[in-house]
Amino acid sequence: MPFIDVKTSCELNSDKISQIKTELGKAISLIPGKSEAWLMVNISDNCNLYFKGTDDKNTAFVNVSIFGETSKSNLENLTCEICKILENSAGIPSDRIYVKFEFSDKWGYNNFMF
């Protein structure tokens, strides 16, 4: 039950949004037991993001929420893949991307708790 929330400072057309969504769907499988079948994605473009005090370059903040836990190496692999996706699809340099991970064992879905 992962959720990936992407905020970018640049404008993304519908094709780029679809491409990012598709690539994130593949990338989430880098976390054992996770797949696109349970993935929810939000992509918000044109956000007012400032990094190092400026907004002169494309920037992204990605929040990945995961049910359960995983290893640091799995998270590093996913971070690398997310950076590649955003660099290739949106032209955002990896040194202008933050990826934050959150973990929880309390997720609700379809009127019950996991």
Side-chain angles (χ1 to χ4, degrees):
M1 300 177 76
F3 172 61
I4 301 178
D5 188 16
V6 179
K7 297 182 187 322
T8 71
S9 62
C10 55
E11 185 172 347
L12 302 170
N13 64 34
S14 60
D15 289 337
K16 287 189 185 272
I17 290 172
S18 181
Q19 180 182 0
I20 292 167
K21 186 268 311 166
T22 299
E23 293 299 318
L24 291 173
K26 295 173 188 171
I28 197 62
S29 66
L30 292 169
I31 306 295
K34 306 302 177 194
S35 71
E36 186 177 27
W38 288 95
L39 176 63
M40 183 180 285
V41 175
N42 178 60
I43 301 171
S44 302
D45 64 347
N46 285 321
C47 296
N48 293 320
L49 296 173
Y50 296 85
F51 187 64
K52 298 183 179 180
T54 70
D55 65 351
D56 61 339
K57 296 179 186 170
N58 290 340
T59 302
F61 179 79
V62 182
N63 190 37
V64 181
S65 300
I66 297 174
F67 178 72
E69 296 278 337
T70 193
S71 71
K72 183 177 178 181
S73 65
N74 289 335
L75 299 177
E76 287 173 343
N77 291 337
L78 183 55
T79 297
C80 182
E81 192 61 26
I82 288 170
C83 288
K84 277 194 240 176
I85 291 166
L86 293 176
E87 193 159 21
N88 294 336
S89 300
I92 303 170
S94 61
D95 67 349
R96 300 281 296 185
I97 301 170
Y98 273 162
V99 181
K100 176 184 172 194
F101 292 93
E102 297 178 342
F103 306 93
S104 177
D105 61 351
K106 295 172 180 62
W107 281 59
Y109 166 75
N110 195 17
N111 298 313
F112 68 92
M113 292 297 298
F114 280 93

